[in-house]
Amino acid sequence: MSVPRSVAAHRQAVVELLTGATAARASHRLPLLEALGGALAVDVHAPIPLPPFDNSQMDGFAVRSKDIPDAGAELWVAAPVPAGAAPAALKPGFAAPIMTGAMIPEGADAVVPIEKATPDTFPDATARDAVVDLPAVASGTYVRNRGSDIEEGALALPSGTLLGPAQLGLLAALGMTTVEVRQPLRVLLVTTGDEVVEPGEELTAGKIFDSNGTLLEASMRQAGLAVVRAGISDDDPTSLVTVLRSHTDPADNPVDVIVTTGGVSKGAYEVVRQAMSGHPVDFLPVAMQPGGPQGLGTFNDVPFLGFPGNPVSCLVSFEMFLRPALSEVLGAPAPRPVRNLSLAEPVTSPHGKHQVRRGTVEPDGSVRMEGGPGSHLVHALARANALVQIPGDVTELDEGAEVEVWML
């Protein structure tokens, strides 16, 4: 009997499998909002500095700091400087009312906040010969200098950056409307089993509806993958091979990755194992519950991952292996947020297996189990918002014990 592979070792094997297959991925240019969740395909350098000009950090008066001695000074009030205007140069002995974000006039080098002025209100814009008393101020006070955020030509975002709202906001601030992102991987998803029928069909004796296809396609699409569905393959290995060959022909826009569900254990009718005979695919146990049986290799030079057939097992396999491997290799999707939380109840786990339980994070910050460890508990999975990680060397945890939790 082969020794089960560790979760970490199997994840690394998936990373290595995908690294070669994705090295020469094409890219395409998208409008900024359509690129949300994608990975940047090229380095982006700032075409302009940010801010593009010296501007005021406060509502106040733009001044020449040398015009105000330590004891303060009374200055004439110049024309106001609203945001978006190009102001005239500031004359000596004058202070210009200025709004937050407005351009600092030539000659000015500091801003005195309005609340420190006497009077602490702006004069009427039509007032003539208005004056204001201002305290001394150091040069540079409340001035956002040109390029203080990023200099023109500096690296704004490196290739591989995951494009979230903040990154897209930066690109917009730099005046960009489109961005070059890596094209999503195309994944062939095949559900197997004579017992499986499509939702909506007649459910006869011994049959079950296919939840794996919807469960995994939704997960993959959420992770930014382009999913090709091949329907449900029966337990005839010849039929499965025909389906896989039709999507991996190098002359016919082949998929980038193959994922199957079911048929990877050691039973008498393991169709995926039979179909992969003669191909460089290993079927091996991973020390994980659920999701222990795994297949990994290539079919027609296309990376192949064989997940178990139970719904929770296939989802856990995706979350533990394929999703984090994509994050590492492609830069997208973003890794699942990880938290260390206390258990709301005691938990037991089999020795030598990394157990992945479904849980719900409570308002008080504790995590409560949803259902048992069974791999068929789809209802419990639907109620959960987290995956609770219990290492293989842990068999019992008391209420209040700290565990690692991946937020879904």
Side-chain angles (χ1 to χ4, degrees), residues 140-162:
T141 300
Y142 295 123
V143 174
R144 300 170 178 151
N145 292 315
R146 181 180 189 271
S148 56
D149 188 2
I150 185 170
E151 294 282 359
E152 182 177 353
L155 179 64
L157 295 172
S159 176
T161 297
L162 180 69

Side-chain angles (χ1 to χ4, degrees), residues 344-397:
E345 61 194 88
V347 173
T348 60
S349 184
H351 176 71
K353 289 189 177 182
H354 181 112
Q355 191 177 68
V356 184
R357 292 285 296 272
R358 280 66 66 207
T360 295
V361 177
E362 302 284 18
D364 64 1
S366 65
V367 60
R368 169 177 53 81
M369 297 301 102
E370 289 288 357
S375 59
H376 65 292
L377 302 174
V378 184
H379 187 205
L381 176 64
R383 295 195 305 267
N385 62 10
L387 296 178
V388 181
Q389 310 288 334
I390 304 175
D393 59 353
V394 175
T395 57
E396 294 184 12
L397 288 169

Side-chain angles (χ1 to χ4, degrees), residues 103-147:
M103 178 182 287
I104 299 292
E106 181 184 346
D109 65 347
V111 174
V112 178
I114 184 65
E115 57 268 24
K116 293 187 177 181
T118 303
D120 59 358
T121 57
F122 293 125
D124 188 287
T126 61
R128 295 177 177 272
D129 301 328
V131 294
V132 63
D133 283 315
L134 299 174
V137 63
S139 178
T141 300
Y142 295 123
V143 174
R144 300 170 178 151
N145 292 315
R146 181 180 189 271

Side-chain angles (χ1 to χ4, degrees), residues 17-18 186-190 220 240 243-245 247-248 255-261 272 276 295-307 322:
L17 178 69
L18 296 182
R186 297 177 66 245
V187 180
L188 175 65
L189 176 58
V190 186
M220 291 175 177
L240 178 56
V243 169
L244 298 184
R245 287 193 186 282
H247 288 87
T248 57
V255 295
D256 302 300
V257 180
I258 300 167
V259 174
T260 62
T261 69
V272 175
M276 292 299 110
L296 187 70
T298 60
F299 179 92
N300 280 7
D301 296 324
V302 176
F304 168 87
L305 288 87
F307 291 161
L322 182 52

Side-chain angles (χ1 to χ4, degrees), residues 32-203:
L32 293 188
L33 288 178
E34 292 182 24
L36 179 64
L40 192 60
V42 295
D43 289 347
V44 174
H45 292 83
I48 61 171
L50 289 180
F53 49 82
D54 294 349
N55 70 86
S56 177
Q57 189 178 336
M58 304 284 285
D59 289 346
F61 288 90
V63 299
R64 303 160 67 99
S65 59
K66 63 183 179 181
D67 285 348
I68 308 175
D70 291 345
E74 183 180 80
L75 301 178
W76 296 104
V77 177
V81 185
L90 185 67
K91 298 176 182 178
F94 279 77
I98 192 167
M99 307 302 117
T100 301
M103 178 182 287
I104 299 292
E106 181 184 346
D109 65 347
V111 174
V112 178
I114 184 65
E115 57 268 24
K116 293 187 177 181
T118 303
D120 59 358
T121 57
F122 293 125
D124 188 287
T126 61
R128 295 177 177 272
D129 301 328
V131 294
V132 63
D133 283 315
L134 299 174
V137 63
S139 178
T141 300
Y142 295 123
V143 174
R144 300 170 178 151
N145 292 315
R146 181 180 189 271
S148 56
D149 188 2
I150 185 170
E151 294 282 359
E152 182 177 353
L155 179 64
L157 295 172
S159 176
T161 297
L162 180 69
L163 296 172
Q167 292 73 33
L168 295 175
L170 170 61
L171 298 180
L174 291 169
M176 301 175 65
T177 60
T178 62
V179 63
E180 195 79 12
V181 297
R182 295 170 178 169
Q183 285 192 344
L185 291 182
R186 297 177 66 245
V187 180
L188 175 65
L189 176 58
V190 186
T191 301
T192 68
D194 282 342
E195 78 281 12
V196 183
V197 297
E198 295 283 3
E201 294 184 1
E202 182 183 2
L203 193 65

